[in-house]
Amino acid sequence: MKKVFSQILQHKISIVLIFTIGLVICALLKTQVKVDYDMNDYLPDSSSSTVAINLMEKEFGGGIPNARVMISNVTVPEALKYKEKLLKIDGVSDVMWLDDAINVKEPLETQDSSVVDTYYKNKNALYIVTIDADKRVKAVDAIRGLIGNDNAMTGAAVSTAVATQSTVQELAKIIKIAIPIVFFILILTTTSWVEPIIMLVSIGAAILLNEGSNLIFGTISFVTNGAGNILQLAVSLDFSVFLLHSYEEQKRQGLSAKDAMLQALNKSFGTIFSCGLTLIIGFAALVMMRFKIGPDLGLALAKGMCFSLLTVFSFYPVIMIISDKWIEKTRHRSFMPKFDLLGKVVSRIMIPLVVIFCLLIVPSYIAREKNDFYYGSSHIFSSSTQSGKDSLAIDNVFGKSNNMVLMVPKGDTATESKLNNELKKIAEISDIISFVNNAGAEIPMQYLDKDTLNKLESNHYSRMVLTVKTEYEGEIAFDTVKKIRATAEKYYPGKWYLAGESVSTYDLMDTITDDDVRVNLIAVAAIFIVILMVFKSWSIPVILVLAIETAIWINVSIPYFKGYTVFYISYLIICSVQLGATVDYAILFAHRYLEFREKYVKKKAIQKTIAVVAVPILTSGTVLTIIGYLLGYITTHGILKQIGILLGGGTLLSMAVVFFVLPGLLYLSDRLIEKTTKGVKFKHKELEE
């Protein structure tokens, strides 16, 4: 690689020009990248709920009901007028209310009270609304404009529309806060006022290249858009920090800027490249998820790491050399303390800490699997947000409720009637709007008005709209889905289609829980192989992976012990991201330990290693922690919030393990490491001071 780096440093202007052109192009391309906030869009195409939704849109020209709108203090005539106004909103394809279930011209007191209370209760009208996916934001804004803040709306379409708008604003806020904080941290950990600027410019270039090139995907998920850039900033900072510290070491030996950078590139290439490769593999493992947010985030982040490596090995060193005079003119004293004392303290307490660590391995592994999970998007907004308050207001009046739509082959009204009657026996179903239920099997279709008929009958299928008194997800909701599917299978074996948010969430649960073991095994195995190849050791990969994996298990077991529910997608993503992002610290520690172990006895090598790696690890780890917590405490999107909090806490745990536990593991495994690592020769015990 020395010849390659030499060529790069000799063609500084060309490198800057190439990057400048690429950045201008990507700045234009990033505006064309679309973001999808609907989790259900990322279900496998073969899942039964996805097949049902696609068929329903084809047969009926619209999707499933995806919003509930409540208007308070209205009479029946006023409620009917509001229904007409809702139907006129661009993007609203269907609105169902009480008049679709009963004849509202007759006294409500004479009607089935359970049906009436489903749609109209204490002068509150509840509408079941279907909003087109491509007009969600516009339609939800229009509905809010119609009903005002005093009334309420909830549902998947509403959550998606609100997330679309709020997340963009919140991410901008996070970036505005994060950049000054990162700059301040870099000021503390570098010795020039200019170096942090160059570092941020370099990382920003890699992020912009990645953002613009996301156009190859056409559309990216809200997770990728919300966390991708922030994660790339935090995890790729390692590369620049590692190279900078190596460069400073070479300059202190009296070399010129160019020679120092060439030596630094050659010396740090193995560490940086192995760290980058583990990140790429860790993120790429998400591609193996059947739930398509995983591949979406994994490919984007893996690509981002490639751009970060490309930048740190070309653009960053070139800019450093070009700016050398400015760097030297703006030198300041180091604001970081020496960490020799930390090394001595750790060397005294590391063995008891290893014992405590080992005692935590099994309980944390078991606890992580006992977490309670949310699988869908129905809980992404807390009760402190407008969406959360709206959902609570509707639930307080009408109770927990959602809608499912069942399609069966058209033509056999007798069988439809039997199916309809048996579905009514399911306790959680409070109402059914269907041809046989509302008109009766004995009434010919030509006697029904066209609008009603179009809602319930297509050329090939009959449609039943079921109102289910459950939450969108949970044990009762999922059990109801299974009951409805079993009942439909009884009368129409293999010929029925069921759709709805609960149905999609049930399929989502099946999909992403199946992904868990596969994704983690692939990530761990791949990173193990990379570390094995880099260190040419059988024992070091076991030690490093075990150390970081245990930090992950402790991190994701905390919600279980605290008693709060975790979004499964957040849990699954953080398991891969924390492994990829923080195993770098363990790799750097092990690299430097092996170097020092050839010169010093094992306890002294531990102390020297901690003193040398403390600043780069603390720099990267602090940035990753702060950015994680900023994401966690600023965004209102539940999934992104949990990713941020778990990332912040997980990084702290990984740093703690690397600084306080890994030294003990290496110390206790010293003889084993020497015997199972190719090309190393350690100081012998009898020479220990």
Side-chain angles (χ1 to χ4, degrees), residues 674-689:
E674 185 177 17
K675 290 180 180 179
T676 58
T677 304
K678 184 178 179 181
V680 299
K681 189 175 181 181
F682 291 170
K683 272 273 190 179
H684 295 296
K685 186 175 181 180
E686 59 265 20
L687 299 176
E688 190 164 351
E689 297 171 1

Side-chain angles (χ1 to χ4, degrees), residues 26-164:
C26 285
L28 297 173
L29 294 180
K30 67 173 283 192
T31 61
Q32 305 302 310
V33 180
K34 297 178 181 178
V35 182
D36 189 348
Y37 289 83
D38 190 345
M39 285 180 64
N40 293 333
D41 289 344
Y42 291 91
L43 277 167
D45 295 334
S46 59
S47 69
S48 59
S49 55
T50 301
V51 172
I53 291 170
N54 292 337
L55 181 61
M56 193 174 303
E57 289 176 347
K58 178 182 176 182
E59 289 288 326
F60 291 90
I64 58 174
N66 50 17
R68 294 194 295 163
V69 177
M70 184 179 76
I71 300 178
S72 301
N73 197 29
V74 290
T75 62
V76 171
E78 288 171 337
L80 290 170
K81 288 180 181 178
Y82 269 110
K83 179 182 177 182
E84 293 176 5
K85 291 177 182 179
L86 286 169
L87 279 166
K88 290 179 182 178
I89 292 175
D90 185 26
V92 174
S93 59
D94 189 26
V95 179
M96 290 186 294
W97 190 58
L98 185 60
D99 59 317
D100 293 300
I102 64 171
N103 184 358
V104 295
K105 293 180 182 179
E106 297 180 4
L108 298 186
E109 295 79 8
T110 65
Q111 309 278 2
D112 186 339
S113 61
S114 63
V115 175
V116 174
D117 287 347
T118 298
Y119 301 97
Y120 188 67
K121 190 174 184 180
N122 299 329
K123 298 193 75 174
N124 296 288
L126 182 65
Y127 304 91
I128 310 303
V129 182
T130 303
I131 298 174
D132 296 339
D134 57 347
K135 296 181 179 179
R136 271 186 294 239
V137 174
K138 183 179 179 181
V140 168
D141 284 345
I143 294 172
R144 178 62 72 187
L146 173 65
I147 69 175
N149 290 329
D150 293 335
N151 293 304
M153 57 181 175
T154 188
V158 178
S159 297
T160 301
V162 172
T164 302

Side-chain angles (χ1 to χ4, degrees), residues 284-560:
L286 294 170
V287 174
M288 302 308 296
M289 287 176 62
R290 291 171 59 231
F291 182 46
K292 291 183 285 186
I293 280 182
D296 184 272
L297 178 64
L299 287 173
L301 284 176
K303 176 166 61 68
M305 291 305 102
C306 291
F307 279 120
S308 292
L309 286 173
L310 176 66
T311 302
V312 81
F313 287 134
S314 57
F315 186 65
Y316 177 63
V318 163
I319 297 297
M320 286 288 289
I321 293 174
I322 292 174
S323 306
D324 182 62
K325 289 183 180 179
W326 289 101
I327 292 172
E328 294 303 324
K329 286 181 180 180
T330 57
R331 286 287 178 195
H332 59 75
R333 68 177 182 83
S334 174
F335 298 118
M336 296 296 289
K338 299 293 183 182
F339 287 92
D340 297 323
L341 180 60
L342 177 63
K344 292 177 181 178
V345 171
V346 170
S347 66
R348 292 192 185 108
I349 63 173
M350 58 186 177
I351 304 304
L353 291 177
V354 168
V355 174
I356 295 171
F357 173 81
C358 291
L359 292 174
L360 290 174
I361 293 175
V362 174
S364 61
Y365 180 83
I366 294 172
R368 77 182 184 98
E369 295 184 326
K370 292 186 176 294
N371 277 306
D372 291 323
F373 294 107
Y374 293 136
Y375 298 93
S377 59
S378 59
H379 294 88
I380 62 172
F381 291 108
S382 70
S383 58
S384 62
T385 63
Q386 179 68 51
S387 295
K389 291 175 183 176
D390 280 6
S391 181
L392 189 61
I394 293 174
D395 289 347
N396 285 340
V397 176
F398 291 96
K400 302 289 184 183
S401 177
N402 75 94
N403 294 91
M404 303 180 202
V405 180
L406 177 64
M407 289 193 308
V408 296
K410 177 182 174 181
D412 189 349
T413 54
T415 304
E416 282 183 46
S417 185
K418 291 178 183 178
L419 170 62
N420 186 85
N421 292 335
E422 187 151 345
L423 287 171
K424 285 182 177 180
K425 296 177 183 178
I426 298 175
E428 291 79 14
I429 297 178
S430 62
D431 184 42
I432 300 175
I433 297 177
S434 66
F435 170 72
V436 295
N437 192 58
N438 290 62
E442 68 280 358
I443 298 179
M445 291 184 184
Q446 57 266 31
Y447 286 94
L448 288 178
D449 67 89
K450 188 175 180 180
D451 288 340
T452 300
L453 190 60
N454 287 340
K455 289 181 181 180
L456 305 177
E457 300 280 340
S458 71
N459 292 331
H460 307 98
Y461 290 91
S462 293
R463 186 163 75 156
M464 299 179 175
V465 181
L466 315 176
T467 300
V468 182
K469 290 294 183 180
T470 69
E471 293 196 51
Y472 288 107
E473 62 177 292
E475 186 176 344
I476 297 174
F478 294 154
D479 187 56
T480 304
V481 171
K482 289 188 280 188
K483 288 178 184 177
I484 294 171
R485 283 178 165 175
T487 304
E489 181 68 18
K490 177 180 177 181
Y491 290 96
Y492 291 91
K495 297 179 180 180
W496 53 269
Y497 298 90
L498 182 66
E501 188 171 352
S502 288
V503 186
S504 295
T505 305
Y506 181 81
D507 287 348
L508 188 61
M509 177 188 67
D510 277 350
T511 300
I512 59 181
T513 49
D514 285 347
D515 288 336
D516 182 18
V517 175
R518 180 172 62 254
V519 171
N520 279 304
L521 279 177
I522 292 171
V524 169
I527 288 175
F528 182 95
I529 292 170
V530 170
I531 297 174
L532 185 149
M533 293 172 63
V534 169
F535 286 93
K536 298 181 177 62
S537 169
W538 288 103
S539 55
I540 289 178
V542 175
I543 296 168
L544 301 191
V545 171
L546 176 64
I548 299 302
E549 272 295 309
T550 303
I552 294 170
W553 297 339
I554 294 171
N555 185 34
V556 295
S557 69
I558 290 173
Y560 169 74

Side-chain angles (χ1 to χ4, degrees), residues 140-279:
V140 168
D141 284 345
I143 294 172
R144 178 62 72 187
L146 173 65
I147 69 175
N149 290 329
D150 293 335
N151 293 304
M153 57 181 175
T154 188
V158 178
S159 297
T160 301
V162 172
T164 302
Q165 295 174 302
S166 63
T167 305
V168 172
Q169 298 169 351
E170 290 162 358
L171 289 175
K173 184 178 179 181
I174 291 169
I175 293 298
K176 288 178 182 177
I177 298 173
I179 295 301
I181 292 175
V182 173
F183 183 77
F184 176 73
I185 292 171
L186 293 176
I187 287 291
L188 292 178
T189 57
T190 58
T191 56
S192 169
W193 301 106
V194 174
E195 285 174 344
I197 298 173
I198 297 172
M199 202 175 291
L200 287 176
V201 168
S202 174
I203 296 170
I207 291 172
L208 183 55
L209 290 171
N210 195 44
E211 279 188 297
S213 62
N214 279 338
L215 188 62
I216 63 175
F217 305 130
T219 301
I220 59 174
S221 72
F222 67 92
V223 174
T224 302
N225 184 62
N229 295 343
I230 293 172
L231 285 171
Q232 187 179 351
L233 167 63
V235 300
S236 64
L237 187 64
D238 294 3
F239 309 157
S240 301
V241 171
F242 294 169
L243 180 58
L244 176 63
H245 282 270
S246 181
Y247 173 66
E248 296 288 354
E249 285 180 14
Q250 298 302 317
K251 286 205 76 175
R252 283 195 291 270
Q253 296 178 18
L255 297 177
S256 66
K258 184 178 178 180
D259 290 340
M261 183 58 74
L262 184 59
Q263 291 298 322
L265 284 166
N266 279 293
K267 188 173 181 180
S268 60
F269 174 77
T271 301
I272 295 173
F273 185 75
S274 60
C275 289
L277 194 57
T278 56
L279 281 165

Side-chain angles (χ1 to χ4, degrees), residues 339-340 342-343 585-597 600-617 658-659 662-663 666:
F339 287 92
D340 297 323
L342 177 63
Y585 309 154
I587 290 173
L588 176 63
F589 195 102
H591 263 297
R592 299 313 296 263
Y593 175 75
L594 292 183
E595 289 178 14
F596 286 123
R597 190 64 186 86
Y600 304 100
V601 293
K602 57 184 180 179
K603 183 173 284 189
K604 189 72 172 178
I606 290 291
Q607 295 172 354
K608 289 282 186 181
T609 301
I610 291 173
V612 170
V613 304
V615 172
I617 291 177
V658 169
F659 279 127
L662 183 58
L666 294 173

